[in-house]
Amino acid sequence: FFVIPSCFHVSKLKLFLTTTTQHSRAPSSLQMSSSAPEPRKAGVSTPEELAAFVSSAGDNLVVVDARHPDPEVEPGDVKSLAVAGFPSSNVIGEGEYRPRAVNLPWSRESGGMDLLPEGIAKDTPIITHCGGGGRGQMAKDFLESNGFTNVLNGGGPKETDCWAVFGEK
């Protein structure tokens, strides 16, 4: 049991815990590793939630890729695009690569994005994503504020366990 002062910085806490656990007989579960995965961003669904969602959605699933195609606008997207490209078509169901996906970039500048094409029912099962979940959550919130009722944030290629569930859709 440790009492951590509120002024303690996270990096100092990691160093403190690592040093303390190396010199004590504390259980190995308390030791921190620099190779541990980063926690998911707020709102990113679990792989289990996504798997159930994808299974129940079937061919009705729509995946909204909120990444921006211009690296000048979103330099961080370059890294995720190296892992997973944009859908091959922006017409749902027509592309060969990621056929259930459409690219609707989230704009940090305007705080919005284009809406889904007309004809997409408000209860359509939708997974939003970006590179790691931040803009995916903003896209989810935006769609919900525009009446879409069945939306999950899938994170993005950075969330490899989540991406494995829906990334090729």
Side-chain angles (χ1 to χ4, degrees):
F1 176 70
F2 298 102
V3 176
I4 310 295
S6 61
C7 62
F8 232 72
H9 189 271
V10 172
S11 62
K12 290 180 182 177
L13 174 61
K14 286 180 182 179
L15 176 63
F16 172 76
L17 286 175
T18 302
T19 304
T20 303
T21 56
Q22 287 174 353
H23 297 291
S24 71
R25 297 193 181 267
S28 60
S29 63
L30 290 179
Q31 294 181 6
M32 298 189 75
S33 167
S34 60
S35 64
E38 293 180 29
R40 291 193 210 296
K41 290 189 177 177
V44 174
S45 299
T46 67
E48 296 79 17
E49 290 169 323
L50 289 164
F53 191 78
V54 168
S55 176
S56 69
D59 290 339
N60 294 319
L61 179 69
V62 171
V63 177
V64 173
D65 185 337
R67 296 176 296 173
H68 202 285
D70 184 349
E72 296 292 320
V73 175
E74 287 289 348
D77 285 345
V78 173
K79 191 174 180 181
S80 71
L81 286 167
V83 175
F86 287 112
S88 60
S89 172
N90 245 10
V91 178
I92 298 166
E94 289 191 8
E96 289 183 27
Y97 177 67
R98 302 185 59 212
R100 304 302 311 160
V102 60
N103 179 234
L104 299 173
W106 175 262
S107 170
R108 292 182 198 269
E109 188 174 290
S110 71
M113 59 191 270
D114 291 339
L115 285 174
L116 288 163
E118 282 193 37
I120 303 292
K122 297 290 185 174
D123 64 348
T124 298
I126 301 168
I127 296 174
T128 61
H129 80 85
C130 57
R135 284 171 292 145
Q137 183 62 38
M138 291 183 244
K140 175 186 182 288
D141 294 343
F142 180 81
L143 290 171
E144 289 176 336
S145 73
N146 281 279
F148 291 91
T149 60
N150 198 9
V151 188
L152 291 182
N153 176 4
K158 178 181 171 185
E159 303 292 342
T160 56
D161 52 351
C162 292
W163 188 253
V165 175
F166 74 91
E168 296 298 317
K169 302 286 184 202

